[in-house]
Amino acid sequence: MKLVRYGKPGAEKPGLIDADGRVRDLSAVVSDIAGEALGRESLRHLKAIDPASLPLVPEGERIGACVGRIGNFIAVGLNYADHAAESGMAVPPEPVLFNKAPSCVVGPDDTVLIPRGSEKTDWEVELAVVIGERASYVSEADALDYVAGYCICNDISERAFQTERSGQWMKGKGCPTFGPLGPWLVTTDEIDPADLAMKLSVNGEFVQDGSSSTMVFKVPFLVHYISQFMILEPGDVITTGTPPGVGMGMKPPRYLKAGDRMEVSIAGLGVQRQTVAQG
């Protein structure tokens, strides 16, 4: 099942994608793709609905972030050995965790804004995990039982803010528009996160072409691990790291500028298309 949120920013409505790729309105069934609507029982109920019984959404509606009311937006750093190498950093013995501000979340095709004073805004295609059940001290073996589904995240990053301004990485990770999510939340019965092709192009040139199979710490371990340090709530998002090909790792480094166009895709999870503008 592919769940979406559509409409104007801040007023998105819930929907699902039917077999013909059209958006169907779920407003009469759930208020949002958020919180308890992502739990096992709720998803079971949504899956039992005949999409043809739901109203069609007119074509051309904006697609918003596929999850609403995100409480925790947790990111995992250096989770691909080849990306760690291009960053000049060692693979960590345990996952590196940091926060992205929930206020940075935007729709998959919304404009990405370069922050004021930025000279090193970068891209990162990532597989994001959406939590469906409250998770605390869960085992690795049971971890996927707490996951509602998966989506694409473009983990936009300002490298100077992140690494040259002292303190924690979150300085360069939570600027406005730095968290495009979607277009769809795809439920776990349709996606195996172990081996998904991941691609990102800038102005038509592929710069990232990797696979989730090269993650150092896999999805079940990450959900288990993070739940040892905090309670994960339904609708929380974990973005799991990026394969190589980011601008920071190029020689010479290459960063986003106003007018650039990104296309971001993960097999089975759809495509994001963003234009960059000066914030």
Side-chain angles (χ1 to χ4, degrees):
M1 184 169 56
K2 297 178 176 69
L3 299 172
V4 297
R5 298 170 71 249
Y6 68 92
K8 295 180 180 180
E12 290 91 348
K13 297 179 180 179
L16 61 77
I17 304 295
D18 68 17
D20 296 317
R22 299 172 299 183
V23 181
R24 298 277 182 167
D25 182 16
L26 275 173
S27 297
V29 184
V30 291
S31 61
D32 200 357
I33 307 300
E36 292 182 358
L38 294 165
R40 284 187 287 268
E41 290 304 317
S42 174
L43 293 180
R44 191 175 293 117
H45 175 61
L46 295 180
K47 222 165 286 186
I49 296 171
D50 177 6
S53 69
L54 301 170
L56 271 171
V57 173
E59 291 187 14
E61 285 275 3
R62 168 186 173 269
I63 299 298
C66 58
V67 186
R69 304 198 311 269
I70 296 168
N72 293 300
F73 192 178
I74 305 149
V76 183
L78 304 175
N79 197 28
Y80 289 71
D82 33 15
H83 171 58
E86 73 173 350
S87 303
M89 301 180 187
V91 175
E94 294 187 33
V96 172
L97 305 179
F98 58 92
N99 291 324
K100 286 179 73 74
S103 58
C104 81
V105 173
V106 290
D109 302 330
D110 289 346
T111 300
V112 166
L113 299 176
I114 297 174
R116 297 176 188 177
S118 166
E119 296 181 354
K120 297 181 179 180
T121 297
D122 205 347
W123 56 82
E124 293 189 8
V125 55
E126 302 201 4
L127 171 66
V129 179
V130 179
I131 298 299
E133 298 284 340
R134 197 169 199 260
S136 180
Y137 297 110
V138 302
S139 69
E140 185 175 354
D142 294 336
L144 294 186
D145 292 341
Y146 295 82
V147 174
Y150 306 97
C151 64
I152 300 170
C153 174
N154 189 355
D155 178 20
I156 307 293
S157 309
E158 210 301 334
R159 302 303 188 185
F161 296 177
Q162 176 187 355
T163 64
E164 300 171 22
R165 298 284 296 271
S166 77
Q168 297 185 355
W169 286 6
M170 63 181 292
K171 286 182 181 177
K173 294 286 190 171
C175 302
T177 75
F178 272 27
L181 292 179
W184 315 315
L185 167 63
V186 183
T187 51
T188 56
D189 57 311
E190 293 192 11
I191 288 290
D192 180 356
D195 187 10
L196 300 173
M198 307 168 67
K199 299 180 185 294
L200 187 147
S201 67
V202 179
N203 299 327
E205 174 193 351
F206 280 107
V207 289
Q208 290 189 276
D209 187 357
S211 169
S212 62
S213 65
T214 64
M215 279 187 192
V216 177
F217 303 106
K218 310 298 184 184
V219 169
F221 180 80
L222 291 174
V223 174
H224 150 73
Y225 181 84
I226 295 168
S227 79
Q228 309 306 302
F229 303 102
M230 61 185 293
I231 296 172
L232 294 167
E233 298 285 2
D236 285 353
V237 175
I238 302 168
T239 190
T240 59
T242 196
V246 300
M248 177 178 64
M250 295 181 172
K251 297 184 176 15
R254 172 181 168 186
Y255 297 109
L256 293 167
K257 60 185 185 302
D260 283 346
R261 292 169 291 104
M262 291 178 284
E263 184 167 295
V264 190
S265 64
I266 298 179
L269 298 180
V271 181
Q272 300 184 350
R273 295 179 179 91
Q274 297 123 15
T275 299
V276 179
Q278 183 62 53

